[in-house]
Amino acid sequence: RSTLFSLVKGKDLFIPVIIGAYTGLRRSEVVGLQWEDIDFKERIIHVKHAKIRPRKKFLKYLKPKHGEMTQDGNLLKKTKNKTSTRDVPMSEVLYEVLWKWRIEQKGLRFKLGKDAIYNDFVCTMLEDGREMKPDLVTQSFHNLLVKNNLPIIRFHDLRGTLATLLIENDENIKYVSELLGHYDTRTTERYYAKTVKARMQKVATKIDNII
């Protein structure tokens, strides 16, 4: 994780990766975050929207109830169900990162002047302030891993990593499920099953070494 964080620091990917790693938000939820969703006083992120790339053949059928089109041609819609709409706590690290980024984002736009693109999204491009597309995050994340000879994982796997770390550190599985916005704990238990299997393998190895 520290290697990944150091590689994305100072790049467009930094904010999406930090948010994804520290909150377990889905990619669509990360790029759909707006500053109005960030409660710095209570240190809570209100997850209410997701940004997705709509299929072209469905564009003519879009209605206001489906969401609204953003500057980059994506669809900002409400999260898919009641469990996906949730409040996620900010750790001290994430709080500091987002607080500094909020100030930096404003500064970058001020320097750009009339060339700056204004919106309320948290995840924006350093070049001109335009909002980040979901597909761009995916492709950039993949390219970064390939370029630096790191194991190839999906951006979505940051969710699984967080869930696994929390479960390994004895966090209640129901809370982990609520944090990730899972419909029920069965989805979360898949991470738990992998963790238990890994622990059992470690025990087996210790037995070999002892005997």
Side-chain angles (χ1 to χ4, degrees), residues 61-117:
Y61 301 113
L62 287 178
K63 297 179 180 179
K65 66 178 182 180
H66 297 140
E68 59 183 72
M69 298 300 293
T70 61
Q71 292 174 338
D72 63 1
N74 284 278
L75 179 68
L76 186 68
K77 66 182 188 68
K78 292 183 179 180
T79 44
K80 61 182 181 180
N81 52 49
K82 290 182 179 180
T83 53
S84 294
T85 302
R86 62 201 186 278
D87 289 342
V88 175
M90 279 191 282
S91 68
E92 185 65 28
V93 171
L94 183 58
Y95 173 88
E96 291 292 337
V97 167
L98 291 181
W99 181 265
K100 290 178 181 178
W101 168 237
R102 181 65 169 140
I103 297 171
E104 184 181 346
Q105 188 189 62
K106 290 180 178 179
L108 288 170
R109 283 175 171 154
F110 179 77
K111 288 180 180 179
L112 287 168
K114 64 179 182 179
D115 295 323
I117 297 175

Side-chain angles (χ1 to χ4, degrees), residues 20-26 29 45 47 83-90 159 162-163 166 171-182 188:
Y22 277 84
T23 65
L25 266 64
R26 300 173 178 88
E29 295 169 341
I45 295 176
V47 185
T83 53
S84 294
T85 302
R86 62 201 186 278
D87 289 342
V88 175
M90 279 191 282
R159 280 168 60 79
L162 179 63
L166 288 173
E171 185 53 71
N172 183 284
I173 197 166
K174 185 175 185 300
Y175 171 73
V176 177
S177 182
E178 291 174 353
L179 180 71
L180 298 182
H182 287 156
T188 317

